[in-house]
């Protein structure tokens, strides 16, 4: 993967999130995207996104706020939150991303489903890292993939999350490489013209 050495992918805790997660998340990001990561909290209060009737948080305005808060060196920013997220057409989401944009978010709220956390930390970390890579994949323009082992496969349930691998299929990997090349070239063009 071609990466821009001066850039990083920012992991941003939103509201409350478990700091133990940052290490497995960071490893997942480095493995797939090659970028270094940094943890920067931008805001704690997410009450602006609360839907009082649903008692859940609308992920889209949180994404907008993350995008605005991120420093220029952040090629992407991923929010990590423990609140339950939704978008209006769905009962809940594990995460949301701006396709080809800068920001994405995941919620850990439903990722511990069926686990006894003290004993199943490993499975929990795997789920979280998979969802992080999946949402970041969207910000690199990847769409949902039909291959149910591919990390870009759309998951309706936690079983689907456990079933898919932590890897991109060959097809998605090629698309990601092309997009990373495109980003590197367009940033060189900007550097040349300044
Ligand atoms: Zn998706
Ligand atoms: Zn795929």
């Amino acid at each position: 993967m071609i990466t821009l050495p001066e850039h990083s992918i920012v992991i941003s805790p939103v509201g409350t999130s478990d700091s133990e997660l940052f290490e497995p998340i960071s490893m997942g990001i480095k493995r797939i995207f090659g970028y270094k990561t940094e943890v920067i909290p931008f805001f704690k209060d997410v009450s602006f996104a609360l839907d009082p009737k649903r008692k859940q948080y609308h992920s889209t305005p949180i994404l907008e706020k993350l995008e605005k808060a991120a420093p220029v060196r952040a090629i992407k920013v991923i929010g990590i939150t423990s609140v339950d997220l939704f978008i209006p057409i769905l009962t809940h989401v594990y995460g949301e991303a701006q396709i080809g944009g800068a920001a994405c978010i995941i919620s850990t709220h439903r990722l511990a489903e069926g686990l006894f956390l003290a004993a199943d930390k490993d499975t929990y970390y795997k789920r979280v890292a998979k969802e992080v890579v999946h949402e970041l994949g969207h910000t690199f323009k990847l769409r949902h993939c039909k291959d149910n082992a591919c990390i870009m496969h759309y998951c309706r349930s936690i079983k689907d999350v456990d079933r898919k691998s932590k890897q991109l299929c060959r097809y998605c990997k090629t698309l990601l490489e092309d997009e990373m090349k495109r980003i590197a070239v367009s940033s060189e063009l900007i550097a040349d013209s300044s």
Side-chain angles (χ1 to χ4, degrees):
M1 293 288 169
I2 302 174
T3 60
L4 302 167
E6 68 276 24
H7 288 268
S8 62
I9 291 179
V10 167
I11 300 165
S12 189
V14 172
T16 54
S17 66
D18 182 358
S19 60
E20 266 182 38
L21 293 171
F22 300 152
E23 187 54 34
I25 288 173
S26 178
M27 279 165 60
I29 292 174
K30 279 180 201 147
R31 194 169 46 77
I32 298 289
F33 302 102
Y35 273 93
K36 61 178 184 278
T37 60
E38 48 186 326
V39 177
I40 314 177
F42 297 117
F43 50 94
K44 247 195 141 74
D45 181 17
V46 275
S47 57
F48 66 93
L50 175 68
D51 183 313
K53 272 192 206 138
R54 296 180 60 137
K55 297 189 176 69
Q56 289 174 299
Y57 294 79
H58 187 187
S59 46
T60 313
I62 306 179
L63 288 187
E64 286 159 12
K65 203 164 171 171
L66 279 173
E67 186 190 14
K68 283 192 191 114
V72 181
R73 68 176 184 280
I75 188 153
K76 306 287 177 193
V77 55
I78 171 106
I80 313 292
T81 189
S82 61
V83 301
D84 197 18
L85 297 176
F86 78 96
I87 56 171
I89 55 162
L90 294 172
T91 58
H92 68 270
V93 291
Y94 294 127
E96 193 197 351
Q98 298 169 331
I99 306 260
C104 56
I105 187 166
I106 65 134
S107 164
T108 56
H109 190 81
R110 293 168 191 266
L111 293 178
E113 193 187 315
L115 298 180
F116 176 58
L117 268 191
D120 287 333
K121 275 256 157 83
D122 224 42
T123 307
Y124 179 55
Y125 290 167
K126 273 185 199 151
R127 288 175 178 179
V128 172
K130 280 179 187 175
E131 289 312 292
V132 164
V133 168
H134 179 98
E135 295 307 334
L136 278 170
H138 284 315
T139 67
F140 286 99
K141 295 192 179 161
L142 297 181
R143 303 279 173 162
H144 286 150
C145 180
K146 282 187 187 141
D147 182 344
N148 64 9
C150 175
I151 204 158
M152 291 314 295
H153 189 68
Y154 175 65
C155 294
R156 272 172 234 282
S157 71
I158 205 70
K159 269 190 196 154
D160 296 338
V161 178
D162 287 337
R163 192 187 305 123
K164 70 180 175 181
S165 77
K166 58 179 188 176
Q167 307 291 355
L168 293 165
C169 72
R170 276 174 56 194
Y171 176 73
C172 291
K173 198 169 176 222
T174 306
L175 290 178
L176 177 65
E177 278 165 3
D178 288 349
E179 173 60 9
M180 297 199 46
K181 245 180 252 165
R182 194 195 62 78
I183 292 171
V185 168
S186 62
S187 109
E188 263 170 39
L189 290 177
I190 291 166
D192 282 348
S193 63
S194 61

